Amino acid sequence: MSERAIRRSWLRVVHETVLLHLGLFYLGTVCLLWTPFAMALQPLLPGSLGRQLGRRMISWNFHGYLRFLTLIGACRFDLRELDALRGQEPLILAPNHPCLLDAVMVISRLPDVACIMKAGLMDNVFLGAGARLARYIRNDSPLRMVMRATEDLAAGSHLLVFPEGTRTTRLPVNPLMSSVGLIARRAKVPVQTIFIETASPYLCKGWPLFRRPEMPVTYRVRLGRRFEPARDVQEFMRELEHYFAAELQHATLPDFPASATSSRRHDDAAGSAERG
């Protein structure tokens, strides 16, 4: 390799490292600034008003974050198809889950989305205040989770559920969890499938937060088929999993980091337990 090529390669590494840290700094600052306001407003505002304000602020902040990543040249996003869902009837939004930015992308375009979140994140000082104000749903009790999700959908919201339960660890899709079918049957609400495509393994399962990817990272989100509410949950999940596998078979998806393999056994075991 020539000296000129080495210099260009080194400058690219420095440039991408700076962009990576700028993006993380932006997101961290936004979360930090909003946290005290969310903590103060939660006990003061009625549930419906707090939920509406909390969700709109999260959507607005995520939209700004993705615009910032685009402006600095770190990422490119094609999220236009999500705009067709804005203002529609209650829906369960069911995307595949290649990376940590998936929820951010969906919520950035839709101002009234409830999320099912890990209990640990809901209790997190840094992230939990905004999620609690927005009345996001904890996943620590399956029965309570389904009931809360049903109530939220009855109030007219969209519900974001990742049927894989965790980020994808094997192509084209992990085995699907039954939660989405249970909620759809109980709430009598359609399931709108969403497909997220990227060639980059950035923030996939096993990718460290501060590891630099090749930039710009490109994402495309497209709408899939809308399924009517489940009657038989097991049959519904078989049909849904077959559809996901077929749609993603030739999609643009990353090769997942090697470290994701070690977590695959745990995720598969958890999925088997839930489906059982």
Side-chain angles (χ1 to χ4, degrees):
M1 184 181 292
S2 68
E3 182 178 345
R4 189 178 209 178
I6 292 172
R7 187 182 301 112
R8 284 180 179 173
S9 177
W10 181 82
L11 288 174
R12 181 181 180 88
V13 168
V14 172
H15 178 67
E16 291 178 344
T17 302
V18 170
L19 295 186
L20 172 67
H21 285 83
L22 278 175
L24 293 173
F25 178 77
Y26 181 101
L27 182 61
T29 301
V30 167
C31 292
L32 189 62
L33 290 175
W34 176 235
T35 290
F37 291 100
M39 292 177 67
L41 290 171
Q42 185 186 356
L44 298 177
L45 295 179
S48 59
L49 183 58
R51 178 181 64 205
Q52 183 180 16
L53 175 63
R55 292 179 186 178
R56 286 186 178 276
M57 282 300 299
I58 291 173
S59 179
W60 184 75
N61 287 334
F62 283 172
H63 183 73
Y65 171 57
L66 298 188
R67 280 184 61 83
F68 179 76
L69 293 179
T70 301
L71 286 171
I72 65 175
C75 298
R76 295 172 183 161
F77 299 95
D78 181 359
L79 311 179
R80 292 169 293 178
E81 291 196 19
L82 289 172
D83 295 340
L85 302 178
R86 192 176 299 151
Q88 287 198 18
E89 62 184 358
L91 292 168
I92 298 172
L93 309 178
N96 62 313
H97 198 7
C99 76
L100 279 177
L101 287 178
D102 300 335
V104 175
M105 288 187 277
V106 174
I107 294 170
S108 74
R109 308 294 279 213
L110 302 172
D112 186 15
V113 176
C115 282
I116 294 176
M117 288 183 65
K118 293 180 179 179
L121 290 177
M122 290 285 285
D123 295 332
N124 184 284
V125 175
F126 191 61
L127 299 174
R132 291 192 297 271
L133 177 64
R135 271 56 176 187
Y136 284 177
I137 300 165
R138 301 169 67 96
N139 73 345
D140 50 353
S141 168
L143 179 59
R144 191 180 301 119
M145 178 189 72
V146 172
M147 292 177 63
R148 285 282 314 281
T150 302
E151 292 168 0
D152 211 277
L153 288 164
S157 300
H158 290 160
L159 177 71
L160 178 61
V161 182
F162 290 104
E164 294 174 88
T166 185
R167 282 169 286 169
T168 308
T169 56
R170 64 185 184 190
L171 294 173
V173 65
N174 295 340
L176 303 188
M177 307 290 193
S178 61
S179 305
V180 62
L182 289 168
I183 296 170
R185 184 181 67 178
R186 185 178 181 88
K188 297 180 174 57
V189 166
V191 175
Q192 173 66 58
T193 57
I194 297 172
F195 297 103
I196 300 170
E197 297 188 38
T198 179
S200 173
Y202 178 56
L203 296 180
C204 293
K205 194 81 167 180
W207 186 280
L209 184 62
F210 290 97
R211 181 178 174 183
R212 175 188 57 86
E214 291 188 13
M215 296 182 182
V217 181
T218 300
Y219 298 94
R220 174 177 176 245
V221 176
R222 58 185 174 88
L223 300 182
R225 174 183 163 190
R226 185 172 299 183
F227 287 77
E228 290 304 309
R231 295 185 179 180
D232 181 297
V233 172
Q234 290 187 345
E235 181 181 344
F236 177 85
M237 294 309 303
R238 281 195 295 269
E239 183 180 6
L240 189 67
E241 186 164 334
H242 177 77
Y243 176 70
F244 264 82
E247 282 290 317
L248 293 170
Q249 188 66 46
H250 302 291
T252 302
L253 294 171
D255 293 325
F256 301 104
S259 55
T261 307
S262 61
S263 65
R264 187 177 302 165
R265 297 188 189 92
H266 172 75
D267 294 333
D268 287 349
S272 299
E274 181 175 341
R275 288 190 298 274

